Amino acid sequence: MQFYELLHDTTYRYTSPVLLSQQVAHLRPRESLRQRLVSYVLEIDPVPAQRRERTDFFGNPVSCFSLYAAHDRLSVRARSRVGVLAPDWPDPAASLPWEAARDHLRDALSGHAPLQAEARDAGQYRFASPFVALGAEAARYADYALQCFTPERPLLEASAALSARIHADFRFDPAATDVATPVAQVFGARRGVCQDFSQLMIACLRSLGLAARYVSGYLLTAPPPGQARLIGADASHAWVGVWCPGVGWVEFDPTNDMQPGDGHITLAWGRDYGDVCPLRGVILGGAGHAVEVAVTVMPVEAACDDIRAPC
C-alpha cells in the first residue's frame, strides 16, 4: 500500500465583504476496498458559526459549514493522509460483449429481470445529468463511441479503446474551458482538461445505454528530473468508472490513456463534476472575487500506527 500526504488549499478573496456564506465541501477522501483514510483535518478561516459532517446521496463524505459574520477572505485547507492499493483490474478482453452489458442494465431497470442492488446503483449513472447533457448531441457521441464499440466487442476492451481515442483526438488545454463549459463545446473544439475529457467519455458511454460515473480525486505527478517536488504544484484530477455486470466498476483515465493505479487518489464519485465539486456554496455580498487553489500530493512512508495490520 502506497501512502500519501494530501494538502488542498482554497482561498477566496472578495472585493467587498461577504455577509453570509453557506458552503459544501467534498474534500475528505473516500474510503474503499483499495483506499484507506488514515487521517483528515479540515481547517476553515474564519471559523464557521456552524459545521457538520454528513454523507451525500452517492455515499461520499461531505463537510457543510456556515459563516454569518462579515468577511472579505475565506481560506479552506484540507489535510489528509491516505493509503492506496494498486487495483487489480480485470482482463478487458475477458469481459462480456458491450451489448450484453447494455441489455443487462436495461432489462434490470425496466423490470424484465430481477433488479439486483448493484444494477440499481449503476442505473443512476446511465442517464443524462446536469453537466453531461445528451439531448440532440447524443447521436454524435454515439457515432464517435461506435468506432470503438464494434459489434460484440468486450465492454472493457471497447472502453479502453474509447479512452485511448479521446486521448489521441483531444488536446489538453487549460485555457480552453472552465467548469461550466458544456460537453458539446468540448466535443467540437477538441480541447479541454481532465474534467472535460472525463465528462465527454461519460457522455459517449451513456449515449450507448451504458452506466458511467465521474470520479474526482488527485494524481501523483513527477517533477522534472533533478528538481524537487514543489508544494502546491499538483492539481485535482478526474477520471471515469464504467459498470460491468459481474465485475463491478472498472476505471479509465482518458486524459492519460491509462487505468488508474496507486497514484490515483479518490476523493468522491457522482454523475458528473457538479455532484463532487471540491468546494461550492452560496454567498450574500462579496461582489467580485478571486480564487486560488493549490494542491500537494506527497508520497510518504507509513508508520506502524498508520495501518490497521502488523508492520
Side-chain angles (χ1 to χ4, degrees):
M1 178 171 279
Q2 174 62 58
F3 284 80
Y4 299 95
E5 289 280 1
L6 310 174
L7 269 180
H8 191 138
D9 287 314
T10 306
T11 302
Y12 285 93
R13 291 184 172 83
Y14 304 103
T15 56
S16 65
V18 170
L19 306 179
L20 170 67
S21 178
Q22 303 273 6
Q23 301 289 333
V24 176
H26 285 90
L27 290 168
R28 182 189 183 101
R30 181 167 182 154
E31 293 199 82
S32 67
L33 292 176
R34 75 174 190 89
Q35 182 166 291
R36 177 176 297 164
L37 179 63
V38 177
S39 62
Y40 170 75
V41 177
L42 185 66
E43 302 167 354
I44 305 167
D45 183 27
V47 176
Q50 294 182 345
R51 175 177 169 179
R52 67 187 180 94
E53 306 295 320
R54 64 176 178 85
T55 301
D56 70 10
F57 178 81
F58 304 100
N60 302 305
V62 177
S63 301
C64 305
F65 59 93
S66 305
L67 296 94
Y68 301 136
H71 56 282
D72 57 15
R73 177 180 175 276
L74 172 63
S75 175
V76 179
R77 165 173 280 196
R79 187 193 302 271
S80 311
R81 175 174 284 210
V82 298
V84 182
L85 287 171
D88 184 17
W89 299 120
D91 177 8
S95 57
L96 78 174
W98 73 268
E99 299 96 332
R102 175 200 61 197
D103 296 346
H104 176 91
L105 187 60
R106 179 199 62 202
D107 292 345
L109 295 178
S110 65
H112 296 145
L115 183 59
Q116 299 176 349
E118 62 172 358
R120 181 169 55 245
D121 176 72
Q124 64 191 320
Y125 302 103
R126 181 173 176 255
F127 305 101
S129 56
F131 279 67
V132 184
L134 298 178
E137 299 295 325
R140 295 178 62 207
Y141 303 145
D143 287 344
Y144 183 82
L146 286 171
Q147 299 299 311
C148 302
F149 284 76
T150 51
E152 297 298 309
R153 191 173 191 183
L155 169 63
L156 299 181
E157 185 178 279
S159 298
L162 176 60
S163 175
R165 186 175 188 209
I166 291 172
H167 176 77
D169 289 351
F170 289 75
R171 177 182 174 186
F172 188 87
D173 182 357
T177 60
D178 58 34
V179 295
T181 302
V183 173
Q185 184 175 325
V186 174
F187 187 62
R190 292 291 200 271
R191 58 183 63 214
V193 295
C194 59
Q195 171 192 317
D196 304 307
F197 304 152
S198 296
Q199 292 185 151
L200 172 62
M201 183 171 174
I202 290 170
C204 290
L205 292 164
R206 291 179 185 172
S207 72
L208 298 180
L210 299 167
R213 68 188 182 191
Y214 182 98
V215 186
S216 169
Y218 307 106
L219 174 65
L220 177 67
T221 55
Q227 296 187 25
R229 293 186 58 80
L230 300 177
I231 301 300
D234 297 306
S236 297
H237 194 51
W239 56 97
V240 177
V242 180
W243 186 68
C244 181
V247 175
W249 291 97
V250 180
E251 297 176 357
F252 299 90
D253 180 349
T255 305
N256 296 292
D257 186 21
M258 64 183 298
Q259 289 194 268
D262 61 5
H264 285 70
I265 302 108
T266 301
L267 266 182
W269 57 65
R271 297 166 302 166
D272 55 36
Y273 172 79
D275 288 333
V276 296
C277 177
L279 186 64
R280 71 175 188 274
V282 177
I283 63 174
L284 176 63
H289 73 271
V291 60
E292 298 174 4
V293 179
V295 173
T296 301
V297 180
M298 187 70 69
V300 295
E301 295 295 328
C304 285
D305 57 0
D306 283 343
I307 53 179
R308 301 162 201 167
C311 289

